[in-house]
Amino acid sequence: MSELPRASQRFFNGIFPENPTYRLLLGMCPTLAVTNGVQAALTMAAATTFVLFCSNIMISLMRHLLRPHVRILVFTLTIATFVTIADRFLAAFLPEMSRELGPYIPLIIVNCIIISRCEACSSLQNCFISAMDALGVGIGFTLGLVSIATVREILGAGTWFGMVVLPPTAWEPWAIMLLPPGAFLTLGVLLAIVNHLTTRNKQETKEG
């Protein structure tokens, strides 16, 4: 079996080479559903990162006790525990944002990003490496959500993080960008840009 990635590799891989949004196309439900505003996207990303970080550490601590026939069940129960904590925290301290995000916070339980990291990293490696993996993937997921939300909010409302950046006198907002078609359009365009830059970089590296 090939050597598993080190902590630094896990961290940097999660940010771009294995970015869940632009490279692995995981977690598409929140990516499309909550990116009509940067605040909502950032809150979702923070909640997901919290759950991912805590779940990775907990699974890593239990990795020697895991058995194949209950592995996924243990992953799900562990993730559900931390999702409940995140959900109750938002309901208590950010009630308006909790209502805006609605069912998407509880749905973190079945987010394939978290389950995949439990399977690929924390069930195999120690706590430090698992924590670095979670931070890298969390940062990558945050960059994905915030970049999509930035485009949609600016073009759709003329604001960024609630602040006016395109005055109504100078810009007619594209209402479609705040609707589901705008999410698919923005994701498609940004994916195309990322793939183009990645391909060009590989070609330049090969030629160089």
Side-chain angles (χ1 to χ4, degrees):
M1 186 174 67
S2 60
E3 184 181 354
L4 293 171
R6 298 186 300 273
S8 58
Q9 291 175 303
R10 290 287 193 188
F11 178 78
F12 288 111
N13 283 349
I15 297 176
F16 185 73
E18 297 179 7
N19 184 284
T21 303
Y22 292 124
R23 304 303 297 164
L24 303 181
L25 299 182
L26 298 176
M28 289 294 101
C29 179
T31 299
L32 296 171
V34 303
T35 54
N36 56 355
V38 174
Q39 287 179 311
L42 197 57
T43 303
M44 172 59 71
T48 303
T49 302
F50 165 77
V51 174
L52 177 60
F53 183 81
C54 295
S55 299
N56 260 22
I57 291 178
M58 188 62 67
I59 294 299
S60 179
L61 290 172
M62 298 188 295
R63 68 187 186 280
H64 298 302
L65 302 176
L66 294 174
R67 296 295 178 265
H69 61 287
V70 296
R71 187 179 74 258
I72 301 300
L73 176 61
V74 172
F75 292 169
T76 304
L77 290 175
T78 303
I79 294 167
T81 300
F82 294 111
V83 169
T84 302
I85 294 172
D87 185 41
R88 293 300 84 202
F89 178 88
L90 288 176
F93 296 100
L94 296 170
E96 292 184 7
M97 185 58 64
S98 179
R99 286 191 293 271
E100 181 177 345
L101 293 174
Y104 294 105
I105 293 295
L107 282 174
I108 294 174
I109 294 172
V110 293
N111 192 318
C112 48
I113 296 174
I114 302 175
I115 295 177
S116 69
R117 300 327 299 167
C118 289
E119 178 71 17
C121 179
S122 58
S123 64
L124 303 173
Q125 296 187 270
N126 64 44
C127 286
F128 178 69
I129 295 177
S130 298
M132 294 302 290
D133 178 79
L135 289 176
V137 173
I139 291 172
F141 187 58
T142 301
L143 291 175
L145 260 62
V146 170
S147 60
I148 294 171
T150 294
V151 174
R152 293 183 65 193
E153 184 178 349
I154 290 176
L155 296 181
T159 62
W160 187 80
F161 221 89
M163 301 179 293
V164 176
V165 294
L166 294 175
T169 55
W171 175 258
E172 182 68 29
W174 298 356
I176 192 173
M177 297 303 292
L178 302 180
L179 300 174
F184 283 98
L185 178 62
T186 305
L187 176 62
V189 171
L190 292 180
L191 274 174
I193 293 172
V194 170
N195 287 335
H196 171 71
L197 294 176
T198 302
T199 302
R200 188 177 68 178
N201 184 59
K202 288 181 179 179
Q203 291 176 344
E204 291 176 351
T205 301
K206 183 182 293 186
E207 292 172 358

